[in-house]
């Protein structure tokens, strides 16, 4: 006889949603405590009750951004067309975080030029490499009461090749270089740009001391302090390298890489500078070190995406150039050719890809082709012809082509009366 079926329990009546006021109290509490993922969940509860609640939608987008969930923040903004609130500023910020810089600027076009918008524009221009335009915005923002504006202002001036203007700018802003460890660091970088290496070293040591005191007072853990101060440690090693203290610099870079207590960009710069310091010694070890900063799932060498976002074009170019040179020293010609072929698209305004292409041809015993290539481009790029012609002269001299070397030097007007010429 079959067993009798058990009666199914009847469903309990669904719980009514909490009152909107309680949900907003909870939402506010989560945001104040930086519990952004929880804030998103509560915002969704409000929106499930009232899909047109603009405050909840705005809180959700901001919480997603604060939680570094940029993709979801952008898709949420794109699904919020029915709201009257203008999400274009937040959309521009998300696009900036995704490195979609042209789209980010486009999204800000219809925004009022208030301090927040101008500050975001300056950051987008900084990342785009448009340094003079970036500095222009910082100059317009001088009278706005924006926290730590001077830190970014100084960084912009340095990247624009205007390091000599830094001290005058600090005087105008009535700010001392030692008012924060970040500003001391940036000002030290400006001194290094002006070849004032001893002064830069002293200011970096001061920046490190101020940073140690500030972060200790803010109850940072020891490892977190080391990560926060990693840019100072790397720059200090670089200045020591320029001062000729190569052993100290070598030890500092090695220690930073070994301990791996640095942000991604500082770690990458330490790796690159160590590789440059070692030169052609222990090439395979240097290639392995560079592999630590490449995109993990890529077969070919490509910098990790986070480094594409954080490093300047100049820094990225230096890493790729060193990679090519190491491949040439290791006689890995196929990899060198492949990487060199990709560089013109990455750095369209630079002559470095051309010089590396010539280096590959020389390594293949095709000095004549290298001379021809450099000759063609010296005519196509007259504003950059000096470095191209100097490279051509060097290639020709090494290949025992004295007439081509002399002809190349003769085409550079501003070195004609120098003894070396």
């Amino acid at each position: 006889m079959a067993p009798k079926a058990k009666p199914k329990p009847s469903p309990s009546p669904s719980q009514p949603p909490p009152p909107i006021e309680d949900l907003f109290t909870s939402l506010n509490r989560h945001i104040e405590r930086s519990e952004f993922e929880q804030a998103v969940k509560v915002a969704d509860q409000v929106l499930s009750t009232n899909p047109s609640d603009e405050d909840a939608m705005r809180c959700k987008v901001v919480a997603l951004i604060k939680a570094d969930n940029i993709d979801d923040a952008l898709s949420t903004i794109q699904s919020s067309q029915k709201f009257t609130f203008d999400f274009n500023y937040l959309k521009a910020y998300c696009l900036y975080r995704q490195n979609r810089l042209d789209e980010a600027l486009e999204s800000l076009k219809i925004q009022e030029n208030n301090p927040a918008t101008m500050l975001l524009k300056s950051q987008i221009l900084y990342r785009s490499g448009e340094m003079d335009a970036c500095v222009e915005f910082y100059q317009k923002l001088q009278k706005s009461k924006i926290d730590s504006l001077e830190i970014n202002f100084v960084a912009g001036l340095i990247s624009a090749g205007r390091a000599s203007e830094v001290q005058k700018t600090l005087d105008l802003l009535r700010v001392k270089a030692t008012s924060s460890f970040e500003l001391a660091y940036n000002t030290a970088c400006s001194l290094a740009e002006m070849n004032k290496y001893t002064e830069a070293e002293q200011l970096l040591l001061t920046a490190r001391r101020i940073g140690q005191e500030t972060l200790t007072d803010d109850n940072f853990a020891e490892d977190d302090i080391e990560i926060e101060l990693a840019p100072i440690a790397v720059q200090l090693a670089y200045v020591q390298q320029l001062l000729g203290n190569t052993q100290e610099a070598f030890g500092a870079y090695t220690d930073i890489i070994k301990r791996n207590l640095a942000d991604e960009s500082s770690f990458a710069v330490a790796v690159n500078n160590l590789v440059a310091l070692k030169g052609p010694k222990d090439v395979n070890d240097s290639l392995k070190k560079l592999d630590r900063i490449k995109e993990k799932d890529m077969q070919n060498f490509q910098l990790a995406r986070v480094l594409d976002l954080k490093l300047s074009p100049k820094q990225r170019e230096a890493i790729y150039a060193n990679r090519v040179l190491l491949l040439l020293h290791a006689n890995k010609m196929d990899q060198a050719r492949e990487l060199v072929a990709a560089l013109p698209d990455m750095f369209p305004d630079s002559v470095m890809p051309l010089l590396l292409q010539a280096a590959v041809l020389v390594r293949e015993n095709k000095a004549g082709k290298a001379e021809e290539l450099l000759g063609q481009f010296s005519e196509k790029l007259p504003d950059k012809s000096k470095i191209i012609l100097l490279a051509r002269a060097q290639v020709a001299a090494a290949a025992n082509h004295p007439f081509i070397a002399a002809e190349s030097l003769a085409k550079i007007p501003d070195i004609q009366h120098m003894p070396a010429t």
Side-chain angles (χ1 to χ4, degrees):
M1 199 170 151
K4 289 181 180 178
K6 290 181 182 177
K8 289 183 182 177
S10 57
S12 61
S14 59
Q15 291 289 323
I20 290 288
E21 293 81 4
D22 291 354
L23 287 172
F24 270 108
T25 301
S26 174
L27 182 56
N28 189 51
R29 187 171 63 249
H30 287 312
I31 287 172
E32 283 180 350
R33 293 176 179 173
S34 300
E35 297 166 351
F36 299 116
E37 289 176 6
Q38 291 302 316
V40 171
K41 288 175 183 174
V42 177
D44 278 336
Q45 279 183 277
V46 176
L47 290 165
S48 67
T49 306
N50 182 7
S52 59
D53 194 308
E54 284 192 355
D55 290 332
M57 179 59 81
R58 197 160 65 239
C59 285
K60 178 180 177 179
V61 171
V62 172
L64 284 167
I65 290 170
K66 293 278 190 183
D68 274 338
N69 203 337
I70 303 301
D71 291 345
D72 281 357
L74 195 54
S75 61
T76 302
I77 291 168
Q78 286 161 346
S79 69
S80 63
Q81 304 299 326
K82 61 189 175 188
F83 292 96
T84 56
F85 178 77
D86 183 0
F87 281 96
N88 274 307
Y89 175 82
L90 294 172
K91 180 183 176 184
Y93 181 77
C94 290
L95 291 166
Y96 159 72
R97 289 285 301 274
Q98 291 183 332
N99 216 34
R100 293 157 65 181
L101 304 179
D102 291 338
E103 292 174 70
L105 280 176
E106 189 64 33
S107 190
L108 288 175
K109 267 188 179 176
I110 56 172
Q111 294 288 292
E112 180 194 344
N113 251 353
N114 58 37
T117 304
M118 289 166 72
L119 188 60
L120 180 53
K121 279 181 182 174
S122 67
Q123 289 171 318
I124 294 166
L125 290 164
Y126 182 89
R127 191 176 284 176
S128 301
E130 296 180 45
M131 297 308 173
D132 286 322
C134 162
V135 168
E136 202 175 307
F137 273 108
Y138 284 130
Q139 286 169 333
K140 289 175 184 174
L141 286 165
Q142 280 182 67
K143 291 180 183 175
S144 306
K145 294 187 177 177
I146 297 172
D147 285 344
S148 308
L149 175 73
E150 65 278 359
I151 296 170
N152 289 340
F153 197 164
V154 168
L157 285 169
I158 296 165
S159 298
R162 294 160 62 178
S164 60
E165 297 175 37
V166 166
Q167 191 54 57
K168 184 176 75 174
T169 301
L170 293 180
D171 293 342
L172 281 170
L173 293 170
R174 296 181 182 178
V175 180
K176 287 187 176 178
T178 52
S179 62
S180 70
F181 71 88
E182 297 98 334
L183 185 58
Y185 163 76
N186 281 350
T187 308
C189 291
S190 76
L191 292 168
E193 284 290 312
M194 295 188 290
N195 303 327
K196 296 179 179 180
Y197 303 129
T198 304
E199 290 173 54
E201 183 182 33
Q202 290 308 308
L203 191 50
L204 285 167
L205 290 168
T206 302
R208 186 169 67 183
R209 178 181 53 75
I210 296 168
Q212 193 82 38
E213 290 168 1
T214 304
L215 297 170
T216 301
D217 288 346
D218 289 343
N219 297 317
F220 274 63
E222 276 188 37
D223 283 359
D224 292 334
I225 291 175
E226 197 164 334
I227 291 166
E228 286 289 322
L229 300 183
I232 297 173
V234 174
Q235 188 69 7
L236 190 55
Y238 173 65
V239 168
Q240 287 167 339
Q241 183 177 344
L242 294 172
L243 284 167
N245 302 327
T246 51
Q247 284 304 110
E248 285 179 49
F250 188 93
Y253 292 138
T254 305
D255 189 54
I256 290 161
I257 295 163
K258 187 177 179 182
R259 288 169 59 76
N260 199 13
L261 287 174
D263 59 285
E264 296 95 336
S265 46
S266 297
F267 184 86
V269 171
V271 166
N272 180 70
N273 289 3
L274 180 62
V275 163
L277 194 59
K278 285 165 69 177
K281 294 177 187 172
D282 206 357
V283 170
N284 287 328
D285 179 67
S286 291
L287 285 169
K288 282 177 189 172
K289 281 187 168 55
L290 284 177
D291 281 338
R292 290 179 66 178
I293 59 174
K294 79 180 185 94
E295 191 66 42
K296 293 286 182 281
D297 301 328
M298 297 292 291
Q299 183 75 25
N300 303 326
F301 183 82
Q302 185 178 321
L303 277 177
R305 187 169 180 273
V306 68
L307 294 173
D308 270 337
L309 300 179
K310 291 189 173 184
L311 294 177
S312 70
K314 191 176 172 184
Q315 289 172 322
R316 286 189 285 115
E317 184 182 79
I319 293 170
Y320 279 107
N322 281 338
R323 178 78 179 188
V324 172
L325 295 174
L326 288 171
L327 290 170
L328 293 179
H329 282 301
N331 207 28
K332 297 184 177 183
M333 298 307 296
D334 289 343
Q335 289 181 47
R337 282 189 215 99
E338 195 173 355
L339 188 51
V340 163
L343 295 183
D345 288 336
M346 290 188 206
F347 309 104
D349 299 323
S350 172
V351 295
M352 184 59 77
L354 171 67
L355 299 178
L356 291 170
Q357 194 178 345
V360 170
L361 289 168
V362 169
R363 191 75 178 74
E364 293 173 328
N365 295 318
K366 296 175 182 174
K369 278 196 174 181
E371 291 161 15
E372 188 182 337
L373 178 76
L374 293 167
Q376 287 169 355
F377 274 90
S378 68
E379 291 170 13
K380 284 183 190 175
L381 305 168
D383 57 325
K384 296 172 182 174
S385 63
K386 181 176 178 178
I387 190 167
I388 298 171
L389 288 166
L390 284 170
R392 185 172 184 250
Q394 187 173 339
V395 169
N400 202 22
H401 300 155
F403 292 109
I404 293 173
E407 177 210 13
S408 300
L409 292 173
K411 288 180 179 177
I412 309 171
D414 62 346
I415 65 166
Q416 292 312 301
H417 303 293
M418 296 173 88
T421 305

